[in-house]
Amino acid sequence: MNTQLSLRFEFAYDKGRLLLFFLILSVFTVGCVWVSYRSSRTEQPLIGLILMWSLVPLLGFAALTVLLKVFKREPGLVISGAGIHIASFAAETIPWLAIRDLERLRGRGMDNLLLRLDPAVVSTLSRRGLMSKLPKALRGSGTKTGVSLKILQGDPDWIYEQCWDFLRRAREDHRAAAAKTGSSVVSDTDQETAHVPVPRGQPLFTYALIAVLVSVYAGELAFGVDAPDKDSPTIQTLLVLGGIFRNSILGDGQWWRLFTAPFLHGNLFHLLFNCIALWLAGRLLERLIGWRWFAGLFCISALGGSIASLVVNPANLVGVGASGGIVGLFAAAIVLSFHFRSDSLPTLLRIRAIQILIPSLMPFMTRARDNMQIDYAAHLGGAVAGGAMALMLLAAWPRVRPHPRFGIAALTVSIAFAVIATVSLWPISQIRAAILADPFSQYFRGQYQLAAQSFTVKAQRDEKAAPYYYLWRFLAEEQGRDTKATIELRAEAGKLDQAKWPYPVYKLFLGELNPGEVIARATDNNSLCEAIFYIGEWHLLRKEVTDAHKQFQAASLSCPSTFMEYDGARGELQKLAAR
């Protein structure tokens, strides 16, 4: 009697671990439902719809699948002399001789047993699980299967060694039987006819793109319109240098921002995370599909992320970052992994991509950092664009070619993207120059002497608004500790009609009226809101920050948005918040 054939080992599911996985998936699902509900009641209803129709069903199905395994009495894995039975793959036992290769894929939080099967045997099996329901174009040949050793009761090392022992003995018995009959034995290498891709060379485009992103970030710090805040560019700088802003794009026709925003980053952590993710994507994907298509997929995904950020995010947010393009690369990696029929490469691509992709699409897993928020709308848009493009690429990729076709078309897309982003430097430089020449911008950047000079020029050019510009000149001079501030203000006050507004404001700063008296002399709502703002500045000069903050808040709510006092109140509130 052959003792090898009589051996049989069954491994049940580890129900405690499965319940833990179910709990985690349930929390994610409930979190998505909660975010969807909150988004539908705010300015972001599209986010709620996208989550409810994409992530929620997917996570809910995964949680249900895990829960069903908890109640199954059938073992998850059975190994015997007759073969191996994986409950989630097929109803039948797979003979050992039908296994071309067996390996173990381990990583952080992962320990999988992987099998590469004979296609002729696979076609006779009654398939189970989600893969059996997918279209053939996505399902592939079905010659790869596996099981997670972490969800089984048993020592993973022992299980793996026993599988190899059964496989080795089955092959030895087959060779011995073939030698007795004089028949030939087909080697494992003869059985493999599909192209086995081997990543070669260095991901040069990935390195070049990382260098570009780092250089652009250095430019943000060097050429920002404001001094860096904690060694990070301010939101105003990101807006001026090409960030996505709905009013600028839809109202002013600055569509080039869709191409410039992916190269900008909000802080060093944002840049570092994206560079690491890009490097992980490039290590395998660029060398597998070639640098032309890697570049093309990045640009298409980045554009998809920019469009999603524009459409989904609130109008007052400034969107920047290469995350949309990078997430699109990982989505494309999952789709393109179905092109490869052999080796552990497809599984490796999917696992690594999913480890990055799923967290990037979970809004409740992200948090604000230094007034920056994760733009998961751009992530989702990039993933959709990258995945859709990869589907078309997959259909047009002959198995005999090492790289996809139409590389010239992909290169053309990349060049067009780069040209638009480069040409956009001209309008960016014009906007930046205008901002830098604006006295209010100079004032809130702390360039008080320069601001005072610019306010003087403004006053000389606009006689009607001159009294207000001279007030701002006084504020700039006071902040810059200019000794002639009060003297110049008194000189300008002598030129005004004392019966008209804003003469009372001058008397406030000259110490001749108190705030209550200034309020009493306001003649209408416009002069009242102006009085409130300048009283706030009066408190600020006296270091009474709490009172100043209240006045600025009131002015920002009461002054028309076209008034310089409205912008002044918002600017002062931002400065106080930064303190």
Side-chain angles (χ1 to χ4, degrees):
M1 178 180 178
N2 190 332
T3 56
Q4 178 76 2
L5 290 174
S6 63
L7 290 176
R8 177 183 174 88
F9 303 100
E10 296 184 355
F11 303 94
Y13 289 115
D14 186 337
K15 296 185 178 181
R17 190 176 290 271
L18 286 175
L19 285 173
L20 177 61
F21 290 159
F22 170 75
L23 179 62
I24 294 173
L25 289 169
S26 299
V27 169
F28 284 155
T29 305
V30 172
C32 275
V33 172
W34 178 78
V35 172
S36 303
Y37 174 75
R38 288 289 301 273
S39 300
S40 64
R41 298 174 63 89
T42 62
E43 297 179 2
Q44 308 177 59
L46 284 177
I47 292 180
L49 291 175
I50 292 170
L51 290 175
M52 286 300 294
W53 292 103
S54 58
L55 290 180
V56 171
L58 180 63
L59 290 172
F61 178 80
L64 180 61
T65 301
V66 171
L67 186 62
L68 290 176
K69 284 184 171 62
V70 174
F71 297 102
K72 278 191 175 182
R73 296 184 178 181
E74 182 184 12
L77 177 68
V78 178
I79 55 176
S80 65
I84 182 170
H85 175 235
I86 300 176
S88 60
F89 177 69
E92 296 85 3
T93 297
I94 303 169
W96 290 113
L97 293 180
I99 300 176
R100 293 183 174 181
D101 192 19
L102 185 150
E103 60 183 315
R104 187 178 180 186
L105 189 62
R106 286 187 289 184
R108 185 177 179 182
M110 172 184 66
D111 193 351
N112 295 334
L113 178 67
L114 303 177
L115 286 72
R116 182 161 55 86
L117 309 176
D118 187 337
V121 175
V122 171
S123 62
T124 66
L125 298 176
S126 303
R127 296 288 300 277
R128 293 176 174 176
L130 179 62
M131 290 298 293
S132 62
K133 306 295 190 300
L134 292 177
K136 187 175 181 180
L138 292 180
R139 187 170 69 242
S141 64
T143 58
K144 294 295 297 284
T145 186
V147 63
S148 173
L149 299 179
K150 282 186 169 292
I151 65 172
L152 299 176
Q153 293 179 350
D155 180 17
D157 294 330
W158 189 88
I159 296 174
Y160 180 66
E161 291 171 2
Q162 288 299 315
C163 288
W164 258 118
D165 187 50
F166 275 114
L167 179 61
R168 184 169 52 254
R169 292 193 183 187
R171 288 176 175 176
E172 290 174 355
D173 292 344
H174 178 62
R175 292 190 183 96
K180 288 182 180 180
T181 60
S183 58
S184 60
V185 179
V186 180
S187 66
D188 296 334
T189 55
D190 292 336
Q191 290 179 350
E192 180 58 56
T193 58
H195 170 67
V196 179
V198 179
R200 300 182 185 278
Q202 296 295 325
L204 298 181
F205 177 82
T206 299
Y207 296 149
L209 183 55
I210 290 174
V212 169
L213 296 180
V214 172
S215 300
V216 171
Y217 185 76
E220 294 175 36
L221 299 180
F223 300 103
V225 296
D226 297 317
D229 180 17
K230 299 178 182 179
D231 296 324
S232 300
T234 63
I235 294 178
Q236 179 72 5
T237 291
L238 296 175
L239 173 61
V240 171
L241 296 184
I244 293 173
F245 191 63
R246 187 179 300 174
N247 290 341
S248 298
I249 295 175
L250 300 182
D252 301 330
Q254 297 174 358
W255 293 97
W256 45 266
R257 291 179 178 271
L258 299 175
F259 299 85
T260 55
F263 294 101
L264 302 172
H265 287 86
N267 52 47
L268 188 59
F269 177 82
H270 186 199
L271 173 69
L272 181 63
F273 180 83
N274 276 351
C275 286
I276 292 174
L278 180 60
W279 176 72
L280 291 173
R283 276 178 61 193
L284 275 180
L285 190 59
E286 180 183 343
R287 295 184 292 172
L288 286 174
I289 66 175
W291 70 271
R292 292 178 179 83
W293 264 113
F294 185 84
L297 284 172
F298 173 82
C299 293
I300 292 169
S301 301
L303 183 58
S306 293
I307 294 173
S309 182
L310 170 67
V311 173
V312 175
N313 285 333
N316 61 339
L317 288 186
V318 178
V320 296
S323 305
I326 296 170
V327 171
L329 290 174
F330 284 105
I334 294 176
V335 174
L336 294 176
S337 67
F338 291 97
H339 172 80
F340 308 109
R341 307 296 195 200
S342 60
D343 200 61
S344 62
L345 186 59
T347 302
L348 186 63
L349 276 172
R350 294 166 200 161
I351 291 175
R352 288 188 177 178
I354 289 172
Q355 287 175 338
I356 299 291
L357 194 60
I358 289 182
S360 70
L361 298 177
M362 297 292 184
F364 53 92
M365 292 182 62
T366 59
R367 63 185 180 90
R369 179 184 175 89
D370 297 334
N371 293 326
M372 302 291 177
Q373 298 181 4
I374 304 298
D375 191 353
Y376 56 88
H379 291 187
L380 188 58
V384 171
M389 190 67 229
L391 276 174
M392 292 186 284
L393 186 60
L394 184 64
W397 188 354
R399 191 158 303 281
V400 295
R401 292 176 61 94
H403 296 319
R405 293 189 297 176
F406 310 118
I408 299 299
L411 181 60
T412 302
V413 170
S414 305
I415 292 175
F417 193 98
V419 167
I420 294 174
T422 304
V423 171
S424 301
L425 292 175
W426 169 251
I428 288 174
S429 65
Q430 297 297 105
I431 295 173
R432 179 176 178 273
I435 291 294
L436 292 177
D438 180 65
F440 294 99
S441 178
Q442 294 165 351
Y443 177 87
F444 288 112
R445 289 201 308 273
Q447 299 173 330
Y448 298 119
Q449 183 178 358
L450 185 59
Q453 295 172 358
S454 299
F455 281 128
T456 301
V457 174
K458 285 276 190 180
Q460 293 170 350
R461 293 177 178 176
D462 189 347
E463 183 178 352
K464 184 177 180 180
Y468 295 96
Y469 286 126
Y470 284 128
L471 281 172
W472 277 96
R473 183 184 68 177
F474 167 77
L475 295 175
E477 290 175 340
E478 279 289 314
Q479 293 289 357
R481 291 183 168 83
D482 192 328
T483 56
K484 64 179 184 295
T486 303
I487 297 174
E488 291 185 344
L489 184 68
R490 191 178 298 277
E492 294 303 326
K495 301 175 185 179
L496 297 177
D497 185 344
Q498 297 184 11
K500 293 184 178 180
W501 190 264
Y503 182 74
V505 178
Y506 278 74
K507 298 192 70 175
L508 171 69
F509 289 117
L510 292 173
E512 299 174 9
L513 290 178
N514 61 44
E517 292 171 328
V518 174
I519 292 291
R521 298 193 183 191
T523 57
D524 55 25
N525 289 335
N526 290 340
S527 57
L528 179 61
C529 90
E530 293 172 359
I532 292 172
F533 169 75
Y534 290 113
I535 290 171
E537 292 288 357
W538 181 80
H539 283 297
L540 193 62
L541 291 175
R542 296 162 62 91
K543 311 298 183 184
E544 298 167 353
V545 176
T546 302
D547 292 330
H549 189 274
K550 293 179 181 178
Q551 298 297 321
F552 292 141
Q553 279 190 322
S556 68
L557 295 174
S558 60
C559 287
S561 59
T562 56
F563 278 32
M564 63 179 71
E565 288 78 14
Y566 172 82
D567 293 328
R570 290 175 60 87
E572 294 291 11
L573 288 172
Q574 290 178 0
K575 285 179 62 178
L576 292 176
R579 292 180 185 179

